[in-house]
Amino acid sequence: MDFRVPFHKFRQEYRFKYLALYHAIKEAIATGTLSQGMKLPSSRDLAELYQISRGSVNKVYDMLVVDGYVDSEVGRGTFVTFQANNERLLEKAETRLKLSNWGEEICRMPLRKQTEEGSPIKVDFRVGRTDYSSFPFNQWNRFMYSEVRNFLTKQHEEAFVVEGHLPLREAIAIHLRRTRGIPASAERIVVCNGSMQVITLLAQLLINQGDPVIVEEPSFTGIKKAITSAGGVPIPTCVDGDGIQVQEWESRLLFVTPSRHFPTGSVLSQDRRRQLLDWAARQGSIIIEDDYDSEFRWGGRPVEPLKALDQEDRVVYVGTFTKTTLPDLRIGYVVLPECLVEPMVRAKQLYEPHPSTIMEQRALAAFMKSGHYERHLRRMKRVYGKKYAMFYRMLQKKIGLLFNFIKSDAGLHIYGSWKGMESEYVRLQSICRQKGVIWEDATTYFMSPSAPAACFGFSHLNEEEMEEGIRLIFEAWESIST
Amino acid sequence: MDFRVPFHKFRQEYRFKYLALYHAIKEAIATGTLSQGMKLPSSRDLAELYQISRGSVNKVYDMLVVDGYVDSEVGRGTFVTFQANNERLLEKAETRLKLSNWGEEICRMPLRKQTEEGSPIKVDFRVGRTDYSSFPFNQWNRFMYSEVRNFLTKQHEEAFVVEGHLPLREAIAIHLRRTRGIPASAERIVVCNGSMQVITLLAQLLINQGDPVIVEEPSFTGIKKAITSAGGVPIPTCVDGDGIQVQEWESRLLFVTPSRHFPTGSVLSQDRRRQLLDWAARQGSIIIEDDYDSEFRWGGRPVEPLKALDQEDRVVYVGTFTKTTLPDLRIGYVVLPECLVEPMVRAKQLYEPHPSTIMEQRALAAFMKSGHYERHLRRMKRVYGKKYAMFYRMLQKKIGLLFNFIKSDAGLHIYGSWKGMESEYVRLQSICRQKGVIWEDATTYFMSPSAPAACFGFSHLNEEEMEEGIRLIFEAWESIST
């Protein structure tokens, strides 16, 4: 029987075991460790546990009944009746703690805002969602069930495969070779828990204190956090309709989203791709290509990833299944230059000597191998393509006067820069929040002061929800402007 | 249709689109990106993708057939027939890469040895295994299946709960209060991917460059790696039969395994617990208590964790389910002082803005709430207790002349220090490897030079396997000593 009270602590104070036990249980109850309603062990079990006579345990229980801490019911056992003041638990002498410089740095970083308190959310235009209703749950669950069943027999051999389930890495390699033109091989792929684990570990592996690291302006907040936490200094570089404006930076590392710039959606032009690779060759730099959601492309010309043009093995390609399958499936991956494979495996191993999502990885490998993944992608391209066209039309028509919406050939959100004054944007945002409509405030993606901007995610919404959301925004705007 | 070849690259070189397409496909095949046996898109799809006439695509395919790169079969499609020299893929100009200091540091660390090539393993005495055959797979799978089914409906709201599934944290709190005497609350618990993620993040949060950090000698290699990678200097401190020998260290951080020292199994005495907490109070230090496998205790007196005695909120308690459930279930947790909760959540969020094992966490919460977990623990205590007694007897009887085995009241391995010369140990180890018997070489757990030692894990083995393994070791020894 597993049951613990601070018996040995009181044993040093009291000559008799039963008194030590009495005080130990009393303290456990008073501090809330044993909480109201919990069943205490039988006197026989407790006697055996602490090597004390059964009669002594009964005496202790009697004393506790008299004190009002417990109650005994014949045939049912002994229960805690005292309601500890739970506040006390948390009111312990507050240890003032000195964090490391790293710890202080990450505590200074802005937190991703949780949905604030307030009226319930009616329409949520934030990004990072997917269309659950179109996911082939039957097929997916079939593979998951079979992996749950296999939990016993097959997995142990893989416990130390830090780089991830081999058949999954092979399936990813085939997928990338065919659909992205990347000459990937399983040996160069490491599977991680979503793309942020990849990005943060890469930052640790490549950045020293004070190193300048080139990022797009605007860009994903997570990348900048990863750079800063590794001691690097993010250097924002303007992005226009052709993607990042290439310069002769003095830097060993650059993060870029060439297929679809986050958040604006512009595509890096062929010329600039060449320039970027030439720059990296001259400087001996590494380019990290975050291909975060370009799977869904419904128009325009097909774009090859930068990695497909990379002759010198200077591009690290980061991909994720989170957007193409389910946000709850935290599986990302990275295609690495050979010299980075071992460092990456060691970095991941430090945090996870055994991979943590092995069951999901196995199910995903089977899902890909069966062809269901490709089929799902084809289907979602149609679904999202239609949603995009409809949503873009609605936005333009109803609130096109408020935002400059950027048309795009791919992706699961629409970017709009605010046309009016900042104060108006802030007011609109706050009224909409009260009405239950929220979106992704893209203003936070800029490092330099910039005009307000917004990302409207649409992948998870149906036509009625889109209409309702836009209607509420328009209504909010009318209440401000009149 | 998603298919990519470096068309745009060649489009800049060639005036005619069909020539660009021809060279793009040829290059993709020659580099192995499109590999032997892969099916190419239909001419109609390819024509649409690259906005080129269908006749031109057919011309390109004809040229590739003539070149011997592809073959067309009427009614089946066009397939790659060329076998690229895959070696070429990996023989790209090797980017010599400058890693960060952190990257270089972790690349200097010793790697956990994979099972080397050689004869197949017959008996594996390494640690970290569990008894799969005793795990209640039916009950467990029931909860897993229901979570797989719920993947759709319930999870999205939790996507950002970095600290882990709330009902799981509540179940852990109740479990710790009752069975370990720790006044835990869900708000102070963060769920992680196994205990190493906890330990590495804590090291980052608490250690600055050059900080001395107290560790037991010997101790778990992972802890020392975490300290070193954060820039700290592990200071080894001797452990005797009463646990770590407390001194007036000048240090802000100490790692300790009080319930069952890793790897020797000694239990920290009540006096030293008091001394350790007093030291921490005087120095304003944090103690990290790694309670890695003390759930299985079959004799001796019940031990309260250090955290249960911690009045000043200076002890961080690290626990794991890996040893009590399945090694493949990478769920660990930490009970934190209040001032460390937010830093820990932020640290984890940097790597995983969404938790990665949410399905497993939900299943585990249900498993605990249903009472199956406690029942399983009770049962395994009996199972492992019997195994321990049997295994200890066997070891003593057969190879007790070779090792000094330390008797222990808990845990899933037996520690033995080598009685003979180091060269003999090394030879024994190597012959046993050839015979297919391996164990955990505990010599690596020491920082200072030390006599050889070994850990023999037994949790996953049955009587016959234990006997066979020990017999083979004895046989190997005879072949050396005669």
Side-chain angles (χ1 to χ4, degrees):
Chain A
M1 194 226 15
D2 236 347
F3 177 80
R4 293 284 181 286
V5 285
F7 177 73
H8 298 99
K9 184 174 110 181
F10 288 102
R11 189 72 185 90
Q12 296 180 311
E13 271 181 61
Y14 294 97
R15 202 176 135 204
F16 296 109
K17 278 184 168 182
Y18 82 95
L19 281 179
L21 185 63
Y22 164 75
H23 284 285
I25 296 179
K26 205 170 90 170
E27 181 176 284
I29 293 173
T31 56
T33 305
L34 295 176
S35 56
Q36 197 176 27
M38 259 190 194
K39 191 179 177 182
L40 296 181
S42 70
S43 57
R44 200 175 54 139
D45 283 349
L46 202 53
E48 195 194 317
L49 183 70
Y50 285 113
Q51 299 292 303
I52 175 173
S53 79
R54 213 168 147 186
S56 297
V57 174
N58 282 330
K59 183 151 67 176
V60 168
Y61 277 177
D62 287 346
M63 288 159 74
L64 291 166
V65 169
V66 171
D67 290 347
Y69 284 110
V70 308
D71 209 357
S72 287
E73 293 175 42
V74 178
R76 282 196 63 223
T78 305
F79 294 84
V80 177
T81 48
F82 182 82
Q83 162 90 65
N85 183 352
N86 263 314
E87 295 308 306
R88 271 194 54 205
L89 250 181
L90 301 170
E91 263 180 30
K92 285 185 173 173
E94 262 319 304
T95 314
R96 268 312 301 157
L97 188 78
K98 214 180 141 293
L99 290 178
S100 66
N101 300 336
W102 186 87
E104 283 181 4
E105 180 69 51
I106 66 156
C107 283
R108 272 193 299 269
M109 289 178 183
L111 264 185
R112 188 185 208 293
K113 273 189 216 124
Q114 301 287 325
T115 319
E116 301 109 82
E117 302 289 308
S119 43
I121 303 293
K122 281 186 205 147
V123 184
D124 185 347
F125 285 119
R126 285 178 303 174
V127 303
R129 275 76 176 153
T130 64
D131 185 348
Y132 272 78
S133 66
S134 299
F135 189 73
F137 278 96
N138 287 341
Q139 285 91 339
W140 173 258
N141 285 2
R142 190 147 41 86
F143 295 112
M144 281 300 275
Y145 289 144
S146 101
E147 288 315 317
V148 171
R149 266 196 305 281
N150 285 337
F151 222 47
L152 171 61
T153 46
K154 288 200 275 173
Q155 291 195 46
H156 199 219
E157 279 314 297
E158 288 197 301
F160 292 96
V161 184
V162 176
E163 56 271 42
H165 184 52
L166 179 60
L168 175 60
R169 288 182 288 129
E170 285 168 347
I172 292 171
I174 291 173
H175 177 73
L176 290 178
R177 282 151 68 178
R178 192 183 153 84
T179 70
R180 320 293 296 144
I182 294 173
S185 67
E187 298 79 45
R188 299 286 195 85
I189 293 174
V190 173
V191 176
C192 282
N193 309 332
S195 56
M196 263 313 285
Q197 193 185 37
V198 175
I199 287 169
T200 310
L201 293 178
L202 283 170
Q204 280 172 273
L205 282 172
L206 295 170
I207 300 171
N208 274 331
Q209 196 64 37
D211 281 355
V213 180
I214 313 305
V215 296
E216 295 162 314
E217 169 81 339
S219 63
F220 176 50
T221 325
I223 289 177
K224 285 170 282 196
K225 282 190 184 176
I227 294 169
T228 316
S229 72
V233 181
I235 308 291
T237 304
C238 273
V239 169
D240 60 27
D242 286 331
I244 190 168
Q245 295 172 349
V246 183
Q247 303 166 25
E248 195 59 33
W249 305 284
E250 300 221 344
S251 165
R252 286 181 36 238
L253 188 60
L254 174 143
F255 283 86
V256 68
T257 50
S259 304
R260 170 167 153 81
H261 169 246
F262 183 87
T264 68
S266 65
V267 178
L268 189 63
S269 72
Q270 205 62 25
D271 279 351
R272 291 211 182 146
R273 280 166 199 253
R274 200 63 274 153
Q275 290 167 24
L276 212 48
L277 290 169
D278 289 347
W279 163 81
R282 276 194 305 277
Q283 295 275 338
S285 306
I286 293 284
I287 296 172
I288 299 178
E289 171 175 29
D290 184 6
D291 202 11
Y292 70 101
D293 80 346
S294 61
E295 279 89 354
F296 301 118
R297 174 163 290 281
W298 30 82
R301 56 170 218 214
V303 192
E304 298 106 56
L306 207 53
K307 181 70 189 162
L309 302 172
D310 173 31
Q311 301 287 323
E312 289 208 357
D313 218 12
R314 302 203 160 277
V315 176
V316 174
Y317 179 88
V318 182
T320 179
F321 289 98
T322 301
K323 297 216 171 47
T324 56
T325 57
L326 298 168
D328 312 297
L329 195 71
R330 307 311 298 175
I331 298 186
Y333 58 90
V334 58
V335 184
L336 293 157
E338 204 201 338
C339 52
L340 264 173
V341 174
E342 198 200 313
M344 187 68 187
V345 170
R346 283 166 172 271
K348 182 154 195 288
Q349 189 178 38
L350 187 64
Y351 297 85
E352 292 177 40
H354 307 244
S356 60
T357 55
I358 199 73
M359 196 172 55
E360 285 91 339
Q361 288 185 29
R362 295 177 62 100
L364 182 55
F367 188 68
M368 290 180 84
K369 217 171 163 189
S370 70
H372 283 300
Y373 181 65
E374 296 281 344
R375 258 197 296 286
H376 171 59
L377 282 186
R378 279 199 296 275
R379 173 149 183 252
M380 291 321 289
K381 218 149 99 170
R382 287 195 303 273
V383 170
Y384 288 145
K386 267 189 211 158
K387 282 196 183 191
Y388 170 83
M390 185 164 65
F391 189 53
Y392 186 79
R393 254 197 328 269
M394 284 185 196
L395 285 174
Q396 278 295 14
K397 194 175 152 196
K398 287 280 194 172
I399 56 172
L401 281 170
L402 307 180
F403 290 92
N404 252 326
F405 292 111
I406 299 187
K407 217 177 153 90
S408 128
D409 296 327
L412 305 180
H413 70 257
I414 292 175
Y415 180 86
S417 47
W418 179 249
K419 290 180 175 174
M421 285 185 301
E422 191 174 339
S423 59
E424 292 171 327
Y425 174 79
V426 173
R427 247 185 100 200
L428 179 70
Q429 214 184 2
S430 145
I431 297 178
C432 285
R433 176 64 197 86
Q434 284 160 34
K435 286 179 178 284
V437 186
I438 53 176
W439 58 80
E440 204 77 46
D441 182 14
T443 320
T444 58
Y445 299 141
F446 287 84
M447 293 184 71
S448 341
S450 76
C455 287
F456 293 92
F458 60 83
S459 51
H460 54 301
L461 302 173
N462 62 31
E463 190 172 352
E464 289 71 43
E465 291 164 325
M466 292 176 187
E467 263 176 356
E468 173 68 359
I470 297 176
R471 192 186 63 74
L472 289 167
I473 296 175
F474 185 71
E475 208 177 87
W477 175 248
E478 282 191 320
S479 79
I480 296 174
S481 57
T482 53
Chain B
M1 196 228 10
D2 237 347
F3 177 81
R4 291 286 181 285
V5 284
F7 177 74
H8 297 100
K9 185 173 110 181
F10 287 103
R11 190 72 184 93
Q12 296 180 311
E13 271 181 62
Y14 294 96
R15 203 177 135 203
F16 297 108
K17 278 183 168 182
Y18 84 96
L19 280 178
L21 184 63
Y22 164 75
H23 284 284
I25 297 180
K26 204 169 90 171
E27 182 177 283
I29 294 173
T31 56
T33 305
L34 295 176
S35 57
Q36 198 176 25
M38 259 190 193
K39 192 179 176 182
L40 297 182
S42 70
S43 57
R44 202 177 53 144
D45 282 350
L46 203 53
E48 195 194 317
L49 184 70
Y50 286 113
Q51 300 292 304
I52 174 175
S53 79
R54 214 169 146 186
S56 296
V57 174
N58 283 329
K59 184 152 66 177
V60 167
Y61 277 177
D62 288 344
M63 287 159 74
L64 291 166
V65 170
V66 171
D67 289 347
Y69 284 109
V70 307
D71 209 357
S72 287
E73 292 174 43
V74 178
R76 284 198 61 225
T78 304
F79 294 85
V80 177
T81 49
F82 182 82
Q83 162 89 67
N85 183 352
N86 262 315
E87 294 309 305
R88 272 193 55 206
L89 249 180
L90 303 170
E91 264 180 30
K92 283 186 175 172
E94 261 321 303
T95 316
R96 268 312 301 156
L97 187 77
K98 216 181 139 294
L99 291 178
S100 66
N101 301 336
W102 186 88
E104 283 180 7
E105 180 70 51
I106 67 156
C107 283
R108 271 194 299 268
M109 290 177 183
L111 264 185
R112 189 187 209 288
K113 274 189 215 124
Q114 300 289 323
T115 319
E116 300 110 79
E117 301 290 308
S119 43
I121 303 293
K122 283 186 205 147
V123 184
D124 185 346
F125 285 119
R126 286 177 303 175
V127 303
R129 275 75 177 155
T130 64
D131 186 348
Y132 271 79
S133 64
S134 299
F135 189 74
F137 277 96
N138 287 341
Q139 285 91 338
W140 172 258
N141 285 2
R142 192 148 37 86
F143 295 112
M144 281 298 277
Y145 289 143
S146 100
E147 287 316 317
V148 171
R149 266 196 304 281
N150 285 337
F151 223 47
L152 171 62
T153 45
K154 286 200 276 173
Q155 292 196 39
H156 200 220
E157 279 314 297
E158 289 198 304
F160 292 96
V161 185
V162 177
E163 56 272 42
H165 184 52
L166 179 61
L168 175 60
R169 288 182 288 130
E170 284 166 349
I172 293 172
I174 291 173
H175 176 72
L176 290 178
R177 282 151 68 178
R178 191 182 154 85
T179 71
R180 322 291 296 141
I182 295 173
S185 67
E187 298 79 45
R188 298 285 195 89
I189 293 174
V190 174
V191 176
C192 282
N193 309 332
S195 56
M196 264 312 287
Q197 193 185 39
V198 175
I199 287 169
T200 310
L201 293 178
L202 283 171
Q204 282 172 273
L205 282 172
L206 295 169
I207 300 172
N208 274 331
Q209 195 63 37
D211 281 355
V213 180
I214 313 305
V215 296
E216 295 162 315
E217 169 82 339
S219 63
F220 177 49
T221 324
I223 289 177
K224 285 170 283 196
K225 282 191 187 179
I227 294 169
T228 316
S229 72
V233 181
I235 309 290
T237 304
C238 273
V239 168
D240 60 25
D242 286 333
I244 191 169
Q245 295 172 351
V246 183
Q247 303 165 25
E248 194 60 34
W249 306 283
E250 300 220 343
S251 166
R252 285 183 36 239
L253 188 60
L254 175 143
F255 283 86
V256 68
T257 50
S259 304
R260 169 167 154 80
H261 169 246
F262 183 87
T264 68
S266 65
V267 177
L268 189 64
S269 71
Q270 206 62 24
D271 279 352
R272 292 212 183 147
R273 280 167 199 255
R274 201 59 278 150
Q275 289 165 25
L276 211 50
L277 291 169
D278 289 348
W279 164 81
R282 276 195 303 277
Q283 295 276 338
S285 305
I286 293 285
I287 295 173
I288 299 178
E289 171 175 31
D290 184 6
D291 202 12
Y292 70 102
D293 79 348
S294 60
E295 279 89 354
F296 301 119
R297 173 163 291 280
W298 31 81
R301 57 170 218 215
V303 191
E304 299 108 52
L306 207 55
K307 181 70 190 163
L309 303 172
D310 173 31
Q311 301 288 323
E312 288 209 357
D313 218 11
R314 302 204 160 277
V315 177
V316 175
Y317 179 87
V318 182
T320 177
F321 290 97
T322 300
K323 298 217 170 44
T324 56
T325 56
L326 298 168
D328 313 297
L329 195 71
R330 308 309 301 174
I331 298 186
Y333 58 89
V334 58
V335 184
L336 293 157
E338 204 201 340
C339 52
L340 263 174
V341 174
E342 198 200 314
M344 187 69 185
V345 170
R346 282 166 171 271
K348 181 152 196 287
Q349 190 179 39
L350 187 64
Y351 297 84
E352 293 177 40
H354 307 244
S356 59
T357 54
I358 198 74
M359 195 172 55
E360 286 92 339
Q361 289 184 30
R362 296 177 62 100
L364 182 56
F367 187 68
M368 291 179 84
K369 216 170 165 191
S370 69
H372 284 298
Y373 181 64
E374 297 280 346
R375 258 197 296 285
H376 172 58
L377 282 187
R378 280 199 295 275
R379 172 148 183 252
M380 292 320 290
K381 217 150 98 170
R382 287 196 303 273
V383 170
Y384 288 145
K386 269 190 209 156
K387 282 195 183 192
Y388 170 82
M390 184 165 65
F391 189 52
Y392 185 79
R393 257 198 325 272
M394 283 185 195
L395 285 174
Q396 278 295 15
K397 192 173 154 199
K398 287 282 194 170
I399 55 171
L401 281 170
L402 307 180
F403 290 93
N404 253 326
F405 291 111
I406 299 186
K407 221 178 150 90
S408 125
D409 297 327
L412 304 181
H413 70 257
I414 292 176
Y415 180 85
S417 46
W418 179 250
K419 290 181 177 174
M421 287 184 301
E422 190 175 341
S423 60
E424 292 171 326
Y425 174 79
V426 173
R427 247 185 100 200
L428 179 70
Q429 213 184 3
S430 145
I431 297 177
C432 284
R433 176 64 197 85
Q434 283 159 33
K435 285 178 179 284
V437 186
I438 52 175
W439 59 80
E440 205 77 47
D441 182 16
T443 320
T444 58
Y445 299 141
F446 288 84
M447 292 183 71
S448 341
S450 76
C455 288
F456 294 92
F458 59 83
S459 52
H460 55 302
L461 303 173
N462 61 32
E463 188 171 355
E464 290 70 44
E465 291 165 325
M466 292 176 185
E467 262 175 357
E468 173 67 0
I470 296 176
R471 193 186 63 73
L472 287 168
I473 297 175
F474 186 71
E475 209 178 86
W477 175 248
E478 284 190 318
S479 77
I480 296 174
S481 57
T482 53

